[in-house]
Structure formats: structure tokens, C-alpha cells
Amino acid sequence: MARILIENGLVVTVDGARNMYPGGAVVVADGRIAAVGASVDPELRRGADEVIDATGCLVMPGLINLHQHHWYVLFKGLADGLLLEDWITDLVFPLVSRLDAQAMRVASWQCGLEMLATGTTCSLNHSVTVTTPEIVEAIVAPQAALGIRQIFAKELRCRNPRFAAHPLTLDESLAAFAEEARRWDGAHGGLVRMGMVIEANAHWTASGMSTEELITRGYQLARDLDLKISSHIAGGTFSLEKGFLKHLRDTGRTDVRYLMQLGVLDEHWILAHGIHCTELDLEQMAHVGASLVYTPTSESIRGGGIGPIANAARLGIVTALGTDGPMVDYTDDMLEQIKACVLFQHQRHLDPTRISVEQAIEMATIDAARAAGLDAEIGSLEVGKRADVAVFDMRRPHVGPLLRPLSAFVCAGKGSDAKVVLVDGEIVYRDGAFPRCPDHREVLREAEAIGRAIAERAGLSARMASPWPVHAAPVRRHPAHA
């Protein structure tokens, strides 16, 4: 494997001391970081097979997207104007039944390309469909071929009186899950890790898609396999007729309280969204060591609210960031999430000190790695860690003067400013090109064709039309009342 030297950039390590090195250097060898600092040993420099000049660039750990749904990439733009609950019934249900292995495969390629091109080197793919071994391979294999690191969190579901269509009993589902974990966890040289999805929130338990026995037995299997458990939690709008608040009124318990009552909530759980978590919910999560993933642009575009992430972080909860998926908010850009995290938390609390740019960067790097249990391997630029590195060009015209480089770039830059991206010490993206996918434009064309065909078969053709909305006429006031 090539020895690569990255030099002359602003090296942001996110290490324990939070060291930064203007004009610094990173040496990559055998897939790991061999040196990082203000300068580099001349011997290491002479031994480099390739030198990347990062002058004017930010050199940082690859970004980690800890909550996304890869196949959503096929249906960008269809969800305008829908509350979350209506989005589920009007879009997700009609579309999901028409997904096949080819759609999942192409979506995986396209999603991986979008993430790499915006500086993301690792993601947690939260499955919301019923996956067979063929479908799992169609999801996992393309991103492994691209060279991006992934945690595939496979769903745990089973047949029950209210979900009679599922082909497997709970015992059969647990056995099938264990088999997939044995097949994929650690595959492709460690680029692939497995996780489990147990949906324990209001939407799923109210629908009968999840049961207490499934939750408790699934949790035990995840513990036995030492896997993380991903679950949507405390999401949705403040509708009194459907979703989170209706379930809360019916049962008198929050999603977090439900998991606590079952005795399963602990450090294995990665809870996504948490928009409506109460302070007691957060205190319980902090007590047991559960993690929380904030998806700010997803929650805002559906009108769901602004999650209490600053409060969660103050309580010591490991907080991370995710995009959720491009059928929700149309983007896989993690740099956008970093900026939105800062802006939305300041707006929620009317306090511009609640989340700093630096803290939001931590949420997309080392804290996300901690939540995933991978912080010994990734999430910071430290000697011995896997060489997952993102180099962003900060000298683009839209970024402007860099008097305070991190703040200027996070708030004015874009994920598409990624110049070079490495995973496991291999260059997997550089200046618009993907060494492992030379036909990436064909992938995009196929993804668009498949997405369009599925949407048409689902009766959603009208949602692909783009008429300019007609606004209501302004209210004219009488001059005497002006």
C-alpha cells in the first residue's frame, strides 16, 4: 500500500488534546496514520510514494454520518410540504414495496459516491425495509467496492398477529440475523461492520411492527454479538392525531421511558432524532450511556422541531450527527449538518454559545466514532489509527478570507469543497474522480431512471411535477389602520 504525505494544510486532529497544526502534515502508511504534526521527519518524507500539497486546505478526520437510509437517494425532491407522518404514509409505504435488489444496489453506489464526494468516510446505514441475504449483499457490496467504511444496521422484525406478512417467526429472524452478522461483520478488510435496528418508538410499537418480546430478545442477541443497536426515537410532529404525541397520550410513556421500563436501554443503543426527548429522558440516557444522533436538516424540513442536543451534550451524552437520507431532506452532506447543528441550537436556545463550531465538528468525527464503538480506530488523526482523512479546499471564492479558518469554512464552505478523501490510507476520491468507480456518471443516470420508474409505479408521478406554487394574495389593510 502506498505511503502518502499530506503537507502544508491546516491539520485539525480532533485528538485528545485537540491539536491543530497550521501548515502541518500527515503521513499515511499501510492504511494507518504514521505521523501527524507541525512538520514531518525528513526520512518519512523521502519515503513517500505520493505527496499531496494541501496548501489552503483543511485536513481533518473523515466525516462520520451516523444515521442515514441509503435508498432514499433515489427519491430526492418528492417530499416537499409533507409532515413526517404523512411522508411515511404517502411516500415510504408506496415506494418501499417496489424496491428490489437492483434498486438497492444502484442506490448504494449513488449514496456512497455522494458521501465520499462531500468528505464522509463512514456511515451507519439504518435499514427500514425487510432484507433478505440477497438484498443485504446488494446494499453492502457496492459501498465496499467504492472503499467507503460502513456500518450496516440490519432490521430485526418478525411475523406477529399484527404483522402477518413477515416470512419469519421471531426465532427464525434472530437466527437469520446472526447468520448475516457472521457473514458481514469485519468483511472487506474491516470496512464493513454490522449493527442491529430495533424500532422501539411510538410509530412502530403502535403499528404492531415491533413487540416487547422482539425488543428484549433482539437486545440480548445484540449484546451477545457485541453490536450497536440503532433506533428512531421521540420523532415526528406535534400532531395530536398521529405519531409521537398520540402514542404519548395513549400510553403515558415516552420512547426512552419505554426502553427503561423494559430494562434494555444501555450503551449499546444509538438513538436517532430525539426531537421530543424530555429532560428526564436525557438524564436516563446519560445514566445508562446511550448515545444520541442529531439530524438537524431532516427535522427542520419536515417541520418536526429542533432536538435538545445542546442539553444532551451538557449531560455527558455522546452526541453525533447524521443526514437521515435524501428522501427526507435531499442531502448526504455532513458539512451541512455541522453548520445546521450550530445554527439551530443557537436558535432553539436564543444563545450563540450553546454549540461551538468545534463541538459540532467533534459530533461528526470523534464523538460519532465513540457512539459507534469505533473511536480506537477512526474519528481523529492520531498515530496508529486508520487513515480516514478528508482534505477540503478552503480557498474557494465562496469561502472568502480565513481570519478564523474553522468558523469561516464550516459556515461558508460546502461538502463539495472536498478535494481528496482517503479511507484506510487509500485515495477513494480526488478532484471529482472516484478511482474505484470510473463510471460514476452512469451510476447517477441509472439511479435517476430507477427512482423515476418506481415513483411512477407507486402512483407518485404528480410529485415529480415542478409547478411554481401560487402564493395567497397579501391581506390589504385599510389606510386608517396602516
Side-chain angles (χ1 to χ4, degrees):
M1 186 173 286
R3 179 183 289 266
I4 300 172
L5 168 63
I6 306 170
E7 63 178 0
N8 303 322
L10 171 59
V11 177
V12 175
T13 67
V14 204
D15 63 8
R18 300 301 189 260
N19 286 304
M20 295 194 296
Y21 302 106
V26 178
V27 177
V28 173
D30 297 323
R32 296 186 179 269
I33 297 171
V36 58
S39 60
V40 65
D41 187 314
E43 286 297 317
L44 290 175
R45 193 183 198 289
R46 279 193 290 271
D49 299 301
E50 180 173 359
V51 177
I52 297 172
D53 183 5
T55 301
C57 294
L58 170 64
V59 181
M60 67 182 298
L63 301 175
I64 301 172
N65 182 350
L66 210 60
H67 186 76
Q68 61 101 356
H69 309 282
H70 85 285
W71 62 266
Y72 288 7
V73 76
L74 298 174
F75 305 106
K76 288 189 178 186
L78 299 187
D80 287 9
L82 292 178
L83 294 173
L84 179 67
E85 294 82 4
D86 299 325
W87 172 86
I88 292 172
T89 57
D90 296 355
L91 284 186
V92 175
F93 290 166
L95 292 170
V96 73
S97 62
R98 293 169 171 82
L99 296 170
D100 58 16
Q102 179 62 3
M104 289 297 208
R105 182 175 293 108
V106 172
S108 184
W109 278 105
Q110 180 61 33
C111 182
L113 292 168
E114 292 185 13
M115 289 191 290
L116 286 178
T118 50
T120 291
T121 56
C122 178
S123 73
L124 186 150
N125 189 356
H126 178 118
S127 175
V128 292
T129 64
V130 175
T131 57
T132 63
E134 178 192 17
I135 294 292
V136 172
E137 181 169 15
I139 295 169
V140 172
Q143 293 193 21
L146 271 176
I148 192 170
R149 196 178 301 281
Q150 59 182 302
I151 305 164
F152 179 64
K154 175 178 165 54
E155 81 293 342
L156 182 67
R157 299 191 203 171
C158 70
R159 184 167 63 247
N160 67 62
R162 297 182 64 191
F163 188 26
H166 197 282
L168 303 178
T169 65
L170 179 54
D171 286 337
E172 291 169 338
S173 288
L174 291 168
F177 185 97
E179 182 59 31
E180 291 299 297
R182 283 190 289 270
R183 179 185 181 193
W184 291 108
D185 196 42
H188 292 275
L191 280 180
V192 181
R193 303 293 180 93
M194 286 292 289
M196 180 183 288
V197 168
I198 299 178
E199 299 292 11
N201 65 26
H203 301 291
W204 291 83
T205 55
S207 69
M209 300 282 275
S210 188
T211 66
E212 290 189 3
E213 184 182 12
L214 182 147
I215 294 168
T216 54
R217 293 187 62 190
Y219 161 75
Q220 189 57 57
L221 178 60
R223 282 183 60 92
D224 292 344
L225 298 175
D226 194 25
L227 300 181
K228 292 292 185 176
I229 305 168
S230 181
S231 183
H232 293 115
I233 208 82
T237 65
F238 272 139
S239 168
L240 296 177
E241 304 305 322
K242 48 195 169 184
F244 174 79
L245 273 187
K246 180 180 186 302
H247 187 70
L248 180 61
R249 293 171 65 200
D250 290 345
T251 65
R253 68 184 181 222
T254 66
D255 294 341
V256 171
R257 169 61 66 179
Y258 180 48
L259 292 173
M260 291 293 290
Q261 288 174 343
L262 293 178
V264 299
L265 190 62
D266 63 11
E267 71 280 1
H268 288 84
W269 292 78
I270 301 173
L271 305 180
H273 305 312
I275 308 169
H276 306 307
C277 279
T278 66
E279 286 301 303
L280 180 57
D281 289 338
L282 297 180
E283 290 171 6
Q284 290 173 332
M285 290 171 60
H287 177 69
V288 300
S291 302
L292 183 61
V293 185
Y294 181 35
T295 58
T297 63
S298 164
E299 290 149 19
S300 66
I301 200 168
R302 295 296 124 234
I306 303 176
I309 301 305
N311 291 353
R314 284 189 174 185
L315 288 170
I317 296 172
V318 177
T319 53
L321 292 174
T323 59
D324 200 15
M327 192 169 69
V328 185
D329 61 344
Y330 312 154
T331 184
D332 274 316
D333 185 345
M334 281 297 294
L335 195 65
E336 184 176 297
Q337 306 309 314
I338 294 173
K339 177 180 179 179
C341 174
V342 175
L343 298 183
F344 295 173
Q345 289 302 300
H346 292 177
Q347 181 72 358
R348 174 186 170 110
H349 297 284
L350 304 181
D351 177 358
T353 68
R354 292 305 294 264
I355 294 283
S356 67
V357 163
E358 292 81 1
Q359 184 176 354
I361 290 174
E362 292 170 355
M363 292 168 65
T365 54
I366 191 61
D367 288 345
R370 287 174 60 200
L374 298 176
D375 51 309
E377 292 289 309
I378 61 174
S380 61
L381 302 181
E382 299 182 72
V383 172
K385 283 194 171 185
R386 294 286 180 183
D388 292 5
V389 186
V391 180
F392 291 96
D393 185 354
M394 297 192 294
R395 285 304 184 188
R396 301 283 177 87
H398 56 268
V399 178
L402 299 175
L403 305 184
R404 186 180 172 91
L406 274 186
S407 296
F409 180 69
V410 165
C411 293
K414 305 176 184 301
S416 56
D417 294 327
K419 181 180 178 66
V420 181
V421 178
L422 294 83
V423 178
D424 257 0
E426 179 183 353
I427 295 174
V428 290
Y429 174 80
R430 174 153 48 189
D431 294 328
F434 303 86
R436 288 182 169 219
C437 184
D439 59 346
H440 62 275
R441 291 180 179 84
E442 180 57 33
V443 172
L444 176 58
R445 282 192 288 271
E446 188 173 1
E448 186 170 285
I450 288 175
R452 182 179 298 278
I454 292 175
E456 288 173 349
R457 291 199 302 271
L460 297 172
S461 296
R463 285 218 151 255
M464 290 185 280
S466 301
W468 199 271
V470 177
H471 301 288
V475 177
R476 296 187 178 278
R477 304 184 67 186
H478 190 279
H481 300 289

